[in-house]
Amino acid sequence: FTGSAFVSAAIWQYESLKSRVQTYFEDARADWLDKIRPQKRGDFRKQVNSWWNNLTEGQRTVTGIIAANVFVFCLWRLPGMRRIMFTYFTSDPSSRALCSPMLLSTFSHFSLFHMAANMYVLWSFSSSIVSLLGCEQFIAVYLSAGVISTFVSYVAKMATGRFEPSLGA
C-alpha cells in the first residue's frame, strides 16, 4: 500500500506541475478576457474565496482530510450505519475485513474531543510539512502512516491475545 501511495503521489505531483505550467501559459493568453468579462456577484462566495486563497497550501490540503474525518465522525452518529462502521471503520485482526479497515479506520474517531485534538495538531504542522514534502507526498505519508500504525496495532493485538476493535490509526 505504501509503495502504491508514493508512486501515485509522484504521478499526481507530475501531473499537477504539468497542469500548472499549462495553466500559466493559457492565463497569459486569456488575460485580456478578464478585462472585458463582467465580474460575478455574491458576497458569500467572495468571502469563501478570500478565506480559501489566504490559506497556505498545507492548510488547504489538510482541509480535505479534516472534512473526511468529520464526515466519518457524523456517520458514526447515524444508528443505521453502526454495523457498517464497526465492520469497515474499526481495526480488528479477528474481523473478516482486514485490509480496508487498515485504511478507513485512519479517518475514524468516536469522541469529538479525540477528533478535534487530532485535527488541531494536524492543522498546526500542516503548513511546514507540506512546504517540505508537497501536498501529494504529504497525503501519501498520512495514508501510509495510518495503514502502518494499524498493522502494528494488529501485531500488538495478536501478541497480547486481545482482539477487541479499535478506532483510528
Side-chain angles (χ1 to χ4, degrees), residues 33-58:
L33 280 175
D34 289 339
K35 294 175 184 164
I36 61 172
R37 190 179 307 158
Q39 295 295 318
K40 295 180 181 178
R41 294 183 184 195
D43 289 333
F44 178 73
R45 182 176 177 191
K46 286 180 185 178
Q47 289 173 347
V48 170
N49 281 337
S50 174
W51 171 78
W52 183 258
N53 292 331
N54 287 330
L55 294 177
T56 65
E57 185 181 13

Side-chain angles (χ1 to χ4, degrees), residues 62-120:
V62 170
T63 300
I65 294 172
I66 291 172
N69 279 278
V70 169
F71 179 72
V72 171
F73 179 78
C74 291
L75 288 177
W76 273 107
R77 302 298 174 261
L78 299 174
M81 293 295 295
R82 285 282 171 102
R83 194 166 142 229
I84 292 170
M85 298 305 288
F86 273 110
T87 302
Y88 295 105
F89 287 85
T90 60
S91 60
D92 184 3
S94 62
S95 174
R96 288 186 301 177
L98 287 176
C99 294
S100 57
M102 290 178 79
L103 176 62
L104 297 176
S105 69
T106 303
F107 299 98
S108 195
H109 300 84
F110 197 73
S111 159
L112 179 62
F113 177 75
H114 178 217
M115 182 187 67
N118 283 355
M119 296 304 104
Y120 173 75

